[in-house]
Each structure stands twice: as structure tokens, then as C-alpha cells.
Amino acid sequence: MKVYILADNIVNKRGLVAEHGLSIFVEHQELKILFDTGQSSVYCHNAGLMGIDLAQTDCIILSHGHYDHCDGLIHLPHMDTFPMVYVHPAAFEKRFNAGSGKSIGISWNIDDYPIIRNRLFYNQKELSPYPGVHLLTEIPISTDLEDTPQSFSKESSGQIVVDNFIDEQALIIETSKGLVVFLGCSHPGIISCLDYIQEMFPDQSIYALFAGMHMEKATSLRVQLIIQYMLNSNISKIVPLHCTGIVAISEMKRALEERCLILTTGDVLEL
């Protein structure tokens, strides 16, 4: 397996571009999977410089319905057959920053892009689109160690309510070394996400984790609780990305040492 970071908040390589967003390209056996598309065409630009032909993409996984993960989808280079896009239907609800009221949902309308609309697969459960490749969504909150996010809202049945992120979708790939897990922002909480994955795959361990963990504004206590959870886990490679935040990433690296890998835009990891 090869994992390419096409877009992330940070870049250290000449010619590549960073943005607040996430996009990861995964090559596994004969499959080529695009996990999230950032907020613009940045991932396409970077893919070209990294030697990746996005026209060879077999499928696209959208982790949840925020602009910084889904808006780039409309910039995917034209191809005769658009790849299947796996997404929870709630991803297309109107989403807001609860404090400012600013829209942070998907900015484009699916009716304006029939080539995409006709390739959407709405997933609301555990799904295995390919052998050894799994999607999990509607992730239950299993612990009070993490704060349920109150800073996000959505429109539901004409009412503005706290966003429960029912649409958060994880990509899990089975390998000979264990499960490789991809998460966009882990909005239900990274601990809840990992607990649910282990519950659904009780006979397999998690070997590697690539995840935005939404700890940019987390309290020091929450960061330390999550780090302790990671220390107690048997996850061999932990890659914090995107919304994890520089402070939390630094603390994780200090505590987890070689188990924590710092990757940014343009980096490639072979597993």
C-alpha cells in the first residue's frame, strides 16, 4: 500500500500548495482510492506534480459534508466514466459554524453536476465496496472523555440544530499487518471512532491510522486523554493530519515518539 497526502494544511515541498483541507490518495493492490478532495483544485495540482493520474481513480470516499473535504470534488479532471462516490446522504445538509453562522457545508449543488449526481452511492451502514475495503458511518459516541462538538450546527427539517455528524465516514482497509484506517475529522471523537472500528472488527488490530482529529481548540486535558488512549493502544503508525492542530500534533509526537509520523502535503508513505 502507498498513501499519498495530496492536500493538507501544511506543505514543505517546492511547487506544491497547501490549504485548510484534506485529500489522500491510496494505492492498494490494484485499487486506487481517493479519500476526500479538499476545498479546491489544490489536490489536482499537487497530484500532477506527484505523478498521480487522478483519471485512474477507482472510487472516491467523502468523509463528511464540510467544504474542506468535499468542495474539490467538482474539480476532478474530466473522465469518460466518473468514479463511484461513497457518501452519507446527510453530508449534503446545510452546515454552519454555530458561533458565526457562516456556511461551512458543501458549496456546490449536486443538481448542477449530473455526472457526479449519477455516481453517488449513499451509504448509511457498514459497507464493503471491494474485498477487504470497508466503510463505516453513523459512528456512535462511546465515551465522555471527549467533548461532543458544540461549535457546529446544521439545518434539519427547517430547524437549526447542533450537528451530530451522523455522516462521518471512515475508510478501513485490511492488510496482512492489520487494519489501515482513514478518518477525515473524527468529529464524533477519535476515541469513539476507533472504539467503533474495533467493535466492528473484533478479531483484527489497527496497524496504521491516518486522521484529522479535530483538536485545534481542544483543552490540554482532552489532548492528554487522547494521547494516553493512543499510548495504551497497539496502533503501530499514527499519522495526525489536517484539523488535529500543531500543538496537539507536537504533543502526540513527543509522547508517541516513532509511532507518530509527521506527514504533510506531498508526502508519501509506503506500508
Side-chain angles (χ1 to χ4, degrees):
M1 178 187 292
K2 278 190 176 181
V3 180
Y4 302 79
I5 310 300
L6 299 187
D8 184 60
N9 296 30
I10 301 172
V11 66
N12 297 307
K13 291 180 170 57
R14 184 176 184 177
L16 300 183
V17 181
E19 67 177 4
H20 178 75
L22 184 66
S23 180
I24 301 173
F25 191 75
V26 183
E27 292 181 347
H28 176 58
Q29 297 175 350
E30 300 301 317
L31 281 176
K32 294 177 174 61
I33 301 172
L34 181 61
F35 182 80
D36 282 345
T37 62
Q39 61 169 294
S40 69
S41 62
V42 156
Y43 76 104
C44 301
H45 166 84
N46 292 339
L49 292 182
M50 295 170 69
I52 296 171
D53 182 7
L54 290 175
Q56 299 300 311
T57 303
D58 292 301
C59 71
I60 299 171
I61 314 300
L62 297 180
S63 66
H64 63 291
H66 278 169
Y67 74 97
D68 50 327
H69 296 261
C70 300
D71 271 10
L73 183 61
I74 60 174
H75 298 287
L76 189 73
H78 174 74
M79 53 188 71
D80 294 334
T81 302
F82 203 86
M84 188 68 74
V85 180
Y86 295 91
V87 62
H88 192 285
F92 291 97
E93 293 178 328
K94 294 180 179 179
R95 323 292 277 269
F96 306 95
N97 179 295
S100 66
K102 182 179 179 180
S103 173
I104 55 174
I106 299 173
S107 66
W108 46 270
N109 191 312
I110 57 176
D111 291 331
D112 295 334
Y113 298 91
I115 191 173
I116 296 176
R117 182 190 62 208
N118 294 336
R119 299 296 289 170
L120 293 178
F121 186 100
Y122 291 117
N123 179 36
Q124 293 180 264
K125 57 182 181 180
E126 191 273 333
L127 180 71
S128 300
Y130 303 96
V133 177
H134 311 278
L135 303 176
L136 284 182
T137 188
E138 302 196 2
I139 298 168
I141 295 173
S142 61
T143 176
D144 57 3
L145 295 179
E146 299 174 291
D147 299 328
T148 303
Q150 300 293 309
S151 55
F152 299 102
S153 60
K154 66 178 182 178
E155 183 178 309
S156 180
S157 302
Q159 302 291 319
I160 302 299
V161 298
V162 173
D163 199 333
N164 60 1
F165 289 103
I166 195 173
D167 60 318
E168 188 90 30
Q169 184 170 227
L171 167 65
I172 301 105
I173 300 176
E174 295 182 52
T175 74
S176 59
K177 293 185 177 181
L179 303 175
V180 179
V181 173
F182 299 87
L183 286 158
C185 275
S186 314
H187 281 298
I190 183 63
I191 294 175
S192 291
C193 291
L194 295 175
D195 281 350
Y196 188 51
I197 291 166
Q198 289 288 201
E199 177 186 335
M200 298 299 289
F201 298 90
D203 299 326
Q204 300 190 61
S205 61
I206 297 174
Y207 170 64
L209 169 67
F210 297 80
M213 303 183 197
H214 215 274
M215 293 195 286
E216 287 175 316
K217 298 180 181 179
T219 64
S220 295
L221 176 60
R222 181 183 170 194
V223 171
Q224 293 306 315
L225 288 171
I226 291 171
I227 289 174
Q228 189 60 53
Y229 178 94
M230 298 293 184
L231 283 167
N232 293 338
S233 76
N234 59 356
I235 304 174
S236 297
K237 299 182 185 300
I238 297 169
V239 183
L241 295 163
H242 179 42
C243 57
T244 307
I246 294 174
V247 173
I249 290 174
S250 299
E251 291 294 318
M252 291 181 74
K253 181 62 177 177
R254 183 178 295 112
L256 296 167
E257 299 180 335
E258 70 278 0
R259 291 173 61 196
C260 180
L261 306 178
I262 308 300
L263 302 186
T264 60
T265 304
D267 284 334
V268 183
L269 183 62
E270 187 167 359
L271 299 174

